[in-house]
């Protein structure tokens, strides 16, 4: 079983603190066995002040981090010199120094400051809440800050934007460790989408569509039931009963990507799901996913995740019987998609 340690710092945000326990805690293999254990700690094992009107009692101190496989740092509103000067307090520095080499490090929202101050993000890509991106970039000039994405997976170090993006990241980790089917079941249990399209850009100073404007969600659901069909932008606009121009504008406002790009992403994700869960030939998978031929599927997979279909299938099929190997990075799979089976 993969062991996860969550470090609650003073001023921790309760919602984000609970994400790891909620998402990883419901992950089960097909036989119903838990895939992760989650332990929450504070630096000294004492109750932690939150940014709400209450404190949280924990049962462990930071010494537990020395024995886990993944460390999660939720955000805090009381980072003090970590945020303003890029300096770690001695107790926190000691706790992080005890983490074993090779342990996966995960930061949610402003938890990224902690990893940056520890030197774990030097020369690496990372993200945080878009409101903090400029400060993070100024304070840690060696970090390659990307303010537009919901999360960044750089192998053994992963970071996310704020609030719900922490859910996106944890679901991505489950998907990376155990495949689409299990990640989708976790998402269903948590009543959240397995994947959200677009990045933080869709949340930054975008005008909210007028209440009378028709949304594109019904059309997206309609498309997801017909990914194998030769759908066009005109077909989607016709389903939404608006012009192509209006549909495209509304779609970008809601999703943060063009209809065409979104459609390709969903077809790639469908193909990946079929590669993981069926024995169909590559040409059949490509046709069922709406990608045409096996050659087209090979090109799309190489472009998006860097491997051909047979290698992708072999990686996921071979490692399902060895969750520990997957949890340590085997079969890393890049970008996920919005849905699994529909």
């Amino acid at each position: 079983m993969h062991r996860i340690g969550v470090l609650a710092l003073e001023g921790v945000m309760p919602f984000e603190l609970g994400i790891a326990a909620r998402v990883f805690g419901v992950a089960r293999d097909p036989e119903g066995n838990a895939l992760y254990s989650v332990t929450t700690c504070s630096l000294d094992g004492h109750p932690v002040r939150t940014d709400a009107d209450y404190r949280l009692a924990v049962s462990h101190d930071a010494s537990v981090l020395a024995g886990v496989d993944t460390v999660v740092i939720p955000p805090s509103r009381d980072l003090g010199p970590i945020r303003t000067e890029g300096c770690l307090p001695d107790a926190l520095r000691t706790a992080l120094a005890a983490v074993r080499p090779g342990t996966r490090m995960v930061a949610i929202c402003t938890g990224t400051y902690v990893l940056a101050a520890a030197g774990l993000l030097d020369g690496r890509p990372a993200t945080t809440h878009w409101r903090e991106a400029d400060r993070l970039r100024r304070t840690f000039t060696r970090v390659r800050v990307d303010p537009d994405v919901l999360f960044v997976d750089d192998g053994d170090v992963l970071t996310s934007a704020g609030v719900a993006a922490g859910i996106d990241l944890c679901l991505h980790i489950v998907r990376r460790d155990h495949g689409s089917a299990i990640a989708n079941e976790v998402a269903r249990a948590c009543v959240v989408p397995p994947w959200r399209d677009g990045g933080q850009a869709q949340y930054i100073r975008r005008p909210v569509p007028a209440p009378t404007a028709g949304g594109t969600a019904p059309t997206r659901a309609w498309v997801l039931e017909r990914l194998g069909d030769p759908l066009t932008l005109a077909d989607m606009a016709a389903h939404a009963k608006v012009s192509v121009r209006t549909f495209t504008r509304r779609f970008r406002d809601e999703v943060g990507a063009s209809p065409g790009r979104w459609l390709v992403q969903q077809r790639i994700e469908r193909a990946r799901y079929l590669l993981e869960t069926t024995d169909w030939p590559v040409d059949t998978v490509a046709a069922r996913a709406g990608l045409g031929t096996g050659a087209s599927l090979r090109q799309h997979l190489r472009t998006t995740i860097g491997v051909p279909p047979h290698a992708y299938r072999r990686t996921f099929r071979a490692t399902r019987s060895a969750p520990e190997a997957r949890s340590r990075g085997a079969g890393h799979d890049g970008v996920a998609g919005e849905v699994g089976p529909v």
Side-chain angles (χ1 to χ4, degrees):
M1 183 181 297
H2 188 99
R3 297 159 297 179
I4 296 177
V6 182
L7 177 59
L9 300 174
E10 286 295 312
V12 69
M13 300 178 186
F15 180 91
E16 290 88 331
L17 173 65
I19 288 173
R22 180 59 178 155
V23 172
F24 296 115
V26 299
R28 297 288 189 273
D29 67 16
E31 288 72 44
N33 302 308
L35 294 170
Y36 303 91
S37 66
V38 182
T39 301
T40 303
C41 66
S42 65
L43 287 174
D44 55 10
H46 294 158
V48 177
R49 177 175 46 81
T50 72
D51 75 332
D53 61 340
Y54 54 86
R55 299 174 69 85
L56 293 174
V58 297
S59 301
H60 306 276
D61 62 31
S63 64
V64 302
L65 300 182
V68 301
D69 305 300
T70 294
V71 172
V72 178
I73 311 291
S76 166
R77 292 197 186 277
D78 190 22
L79 291 176
I82 302 174
R83 179 173 176 269
T84 58
E85 304 169 23
C87 299
L88 287 178
D90 290 342
L92 180 52
R93 184 179 300 280
T94 299
L96 294 179
V99 174
R100 296 176 302 168
T103 299
R104 182 164 57 190
M105 304 297 292
V106 177
I108 298 173
C109 193
T110 58
T112 300
Y113 279 100
V114 175
L115 299 189
L120 298 176
L121 296 178
D122 288 355
R124 306 181 76 160
T127 194
T128 188
H129 193 288
W130 61 268
R131 291 182 188 226
E132 292 288 331
D134 285 342
R135 177 184 285 273
L136 182 69
R137 186 183 291 111
R138 291 195 306 268
T139 305
F140 303 98
T141 57
R142 298 186 62 186
V143 179
R144 291 162 26 215
V145 180
D146 185 346
D148 295 328
V149 296
L150 294 176
F151 60 81
V152 171
D153 179 344
D154 196 38
D156 60 339
V157 179
L158 302 93
T159 54
S160 84
V163 196
I167 300 175
D168 297 323
L169 176 56
C170 289
L171 284 173
H172 168 75
I173 291 171
V174 175
R175 186 183 300 271
R176 180 177 127 173
D177 287 351
H178 301 290
S180 299
I182 288 177
N184 288 345
E185 286 305 312
V186 171
R188 291 188 184 98
C190 296
V191 198
V192 296
W195 174 265
R196 289 191 297 153
D197 290 290
Q200 292 193 76
Q202 61 185 305
Y203 303 106
I204 303 173
R205 299 186 181 88
R206 281 191 176 271
V208 177
T212 56
T216 64
T219 297
R220 278 181 274 144
W222 177 79
V223 168
L224 290 172
E225 295 175 353
R226 296 164 176 79
L227 288 177
D229 298 342
L231 299 172
T232 66
L233 179 57
D235 293 332
M236 289 187 272
H239 180 271
K241 297 182 174 59
V242 295
S243 68
V244 168
R245 181 176 180 179
T246 298
F247 179 78
T248 300
R249 175 177 53 78
R250 289 179 183 173
F251 198 99
R252 284 185 178 275
D253 286 343
E254 295 175 23
V255 177
S258 71
R261 179 181 177 186
W262 176 85
L263 180 58
V264 170
Q265 288 173 339
Q266 304 319 308
R267 284 173 165 164
I268 292 171
E269 175 57 21
R270 172 63 63 80
R272 289 171 57 182
Y273 176 79
L274 294 176
L275 288 171
E276 293 181 29
T277 58
T278 75
D279 294 316
W280 292 346
V282 170
D283 284 339
T284 302
V285 169
R288 293 294 185 93
L291 293 172
T293 66
S296 175
L297 173 56
R298 291 183 188 94
Q299 180 180 356
H300 279 295
L301 283 189
R302 284 191 178 278
T303 299
T304 55
I305 60 176
V307 297
H310 290 298
Y312 181 83
R313 172 176 272 166
R314 184 171 59 249
T315 297
F316 276 81
R317 287 287 178 92
T319 54
R320 277 199 177 147
S321 61
E324 185 65 17
R326 288 292 298 280
S327 71
R328 293 185 180 275
H332 169 47
D333 73 330
V335 182
E338 184 173 8
V339 297
V342 288

